[in-house]
């Protein structure tokens, strides 16, 4: 059956797939492989997306679409990275740029510039981006949001602890960026 283009009304809401990544690295410690893709595989993911007409959008674009109902051009997709690993800068960003794409990185605010201590049970913790790295990526078009202050498992926290994590993380990012942070 041939595909038929159906015009969208002004209030129609498009579905947008969200692809979530953590690390883009050639090797990850055993036990963390599900959270790691090689640069080669990541490049293949983006090539496949491009071949199928996808283009990345920011969370701000998605939020504006949800507010206004204005259609998003092309086949939109959201790419996200959790935790702020340094290999987002060293491996993922060059591949994203080569494909004309971008992403949103969710940062663990209290750990910026350190190592991912939450991964220590699996091997040496991977380095995280510094504020200098983050500002360079923001300047080049990458978006950032809050991932909590300390990387505690948010789904197991009490309401006061959850609010503390979110508020502390957002406040740290807003101080550093000098503008509101609306993504978590």
């Amino acid at each position: 059956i041939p595909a038929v283009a159906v015009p969208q009304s002004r209030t129609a809401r498009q579905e947008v797939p969200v692809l979530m990544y953590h690390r883009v690295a050639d090797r990850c410690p055993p036990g963390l492989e599900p959270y790691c893709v090689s640069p080669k595989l990541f490049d293949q993911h983006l090539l496949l997306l491009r071949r199928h007409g996808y283009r990345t959008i920011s969370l701000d674009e998605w939020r504006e679409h949800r507010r206004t109902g204005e259609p998003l051009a092309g086949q939109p997709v959201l790419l996200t990275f959790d935790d702020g690993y340094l290999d987002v800068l060293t491996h993922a960003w060059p591949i994203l740029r080569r494909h004309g794409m971008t992403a949103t990185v969710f940062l663990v605010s209290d750990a910026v510039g350190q190592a991912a201590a939450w991964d220590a049970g699996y091997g040496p913790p991977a380095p995280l981006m510094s504020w200098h790295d983050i500002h360079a990526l923001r300047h080049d078009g990458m978006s950032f949001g809050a991932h909590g202050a300390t990387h505690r498992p948010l789904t197991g926290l009490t309401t006061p602890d959850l609010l503390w994590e979110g508020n502390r993380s957002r406040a740290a990012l807003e101080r550093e960026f000098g503008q509101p942070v609306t993504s978590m």
Side-chain angles (χ1 to χ4, degrees), residues 47 122 145 148 167 171:
L47 183 60
Y122 300 96
N167 288 333

Side-chain angles (χ1 to χ4, degrees), residues 25-107:
D26 286 313
R27 282 184 230 103
C28 283
L32 293 178
E33 291 96 346
Y35 307 101
C36 186
V37 297
S38 70
K40 181 179 179 181
L41 182 57
F42 185 64
D43 186 57
Q44 291 171 346
H45 287 181
L46 299 188
L47 183 60
L48 184 66
L49 288 170
R50 280 189 38 219
R51 282 186 182 156
H52 287 276
Y54 284 93
R55 70 173 191 89
T56 53
I57 62 169
S58 69
L59 285 168
D60 288 339
E61 287 176 88
W62 172 242
R63 217 175 348 270
E64 184 65 11
H65 162 71
R66 296 294 297 171
R67 187 181 70 76
T68 66
E70 289 295 324
L72 294 162
Q75 287 285 84
V77 63
L78 279 160
L79 300 181
T80 69
F81 289 91
D82 279 357
D83 304 333
Y85 289 99
L86 182 60
D87 51 53
V88 170
L89 171 69
T90 59
H91 297 312
W93 185 240
I95 297 167
L96 284 160
R97 286 184 67 169
R98 188 169 59 249
H99 288 283
M101 296 183 170
T102 191
T104 299
V105 180
F106 293 98
L107 300 169

